[in-house]
Amino acid sequence: MSRRTAMLCTSSGLIATAFGVTVDRRGDPGPVRTATQDEVAAAPPAAAPPAAAAPVPGRQAWMPDATRKPLSVNFTPGGLREMRGLVLHVQEGENSLHTHFSDPAVRSSAHFWVSQFGEIEQYVSAHDRAWAQGTGNLSWLSVETSGFASRPLTAQQVDSVARIYAWGMAQHGWPLEPASTPLGRGLGIHRMGGRDWGGHSCPGPLRSAQAGEILSTVRTRYPRWGA
């Protein structure tokens, strides 16, 4: 990261950070409370959410087109319960996040990072749980995009996120569709998780509106991967 103050999109909100220092300590949800039998009996019946596949060991865990920079901290090995799709984040800053996410005090991470020029770095295996979006960490992969919510994704970023998504479709069965809730499947945005995912507007209206463009790019430029 640069030495100037930046912001990071995390599960607890946009947290101001300086070089090598951060205060977010809630990137991973930790143990999930299980309802009692009485609570289950009293609850009204709910519609079943769309089925999501669990991570399959034989599938690729590392995207071949990404620069592989595995973290040694700030993730949960084998911690994914299922694989619902990819969540789009905005970095609110610039430059690679590998050094930042390698700090044990940070307690946050993402699977992928995409620069404004379209460079892709992968920090966490697709079989492991990154700490990016609270309770959503259990079911979703995550991608941080360099830049700011006040600016749209560059054309290179749209193309690179589309490449990540097409790879996920081919390797992990993501559907070619947008997701609007944590129980959906497809390409989602951080803010769709509400309070459980931090309760803020990441990645902002401009980048959120580009989800359709990303999926269209998958369809038109990478049909071999995303078919």
Side-chain angles (χ1 to χ4, degrees):
M1 295 182 66
S2 66
R3 288 186 176 271
R4 65 187 180 82
T5 300
M7 300 285 285
L8 278 180
C9 172
T10 69
S11 63
S12 57
L14 293 177
I15 305 299
T17 66
F19 182 74
V21 178
T22 188
V23 295
D24 179 29
R25 298 182 182 276
R26 298 193 295 166
D28 186 63
V32 178
R33 178 181 177 274
T34 302
T36 66
Q37 290 184 345
D38 289 342
E39 289 172 330
V40 172
V56 178
R59 300 289 187 175
Q60 287 180 354
W62 296 90
M63 181 180 173
D65 283 2
T67 299
R68 183 170 172 174
K69 293 187 172 183
L71 299 177
S72 59
V73 295
N74 296 328
F75 71 98
T76 303
L80 283 177
R81 256 190 340 208
E82 56 188 355
M83 182 81 78
R84 290 194 169 273
L86 182 70
V87 174
L88 184 67
H89 296 252
V90 61
Q91 180 180 344
E92 289 294 340
E94 299 171 355
N95 300 323
S96 171
L97 286 170
H98 183 261
T99 298
H100 179 77
F101 286 150
S102 296
D103 182 350
V106 169
R107 296 186 62 81
S108 65
S109 61
H111 290 90
F112 298 96
W113 171 82
V114 177
S115 79
Q116 295 190 64
F117 301 103
E119 302 156 308
I120 303 172
E121 294 181 353
Q122 185 174 355
Y123 305 138
V124 178
S125 161
H127 296 162
D128 297 333
R129 185 198 310 172
W131 298 353
Q133 58 245 348
T135 57
N137 294 334
L138 294 165
S139 306
W140 298 83
L141 298 198
S142 48
V143 55
E144 287 279 0
T145 54
S146 178
F148 301 86
S150 60
R151 306 171 190 167
L153 295 167
T154 65
Q156 295 96 324
Q157 285 179 311
V158 168
D159 186 76
S160 291
V161 175
R163 284 163 54 201
I164 295 171
Y165 199 83
W167 171 80
M169 290 179 67
Q171 292 296 319
H172 302 288
W174 302 345
L176 186 60
E177 62 189 39
S180 59
T181 75
L183 294 180
R185 298 184 65 224
L187 178 62
I189 56 176
H190 192 178
R191 72 177 182 182
M192 76 180 184
R195 181 178 299 176
D196 288 343
W197 287 20
H200 54 86
S201 61
C202 172
L206 291 177
R207 297 189 180 208
S208 297
Q210 290 178 281
E213 183 182 355
I214 292 167
L215 294 175
S216 293
T217 301
V218 175
R219 186 179 295 109
T220 58
R221 298 197 64 179
Y222 303 107
R224 177 177 61 86
W225 290 5

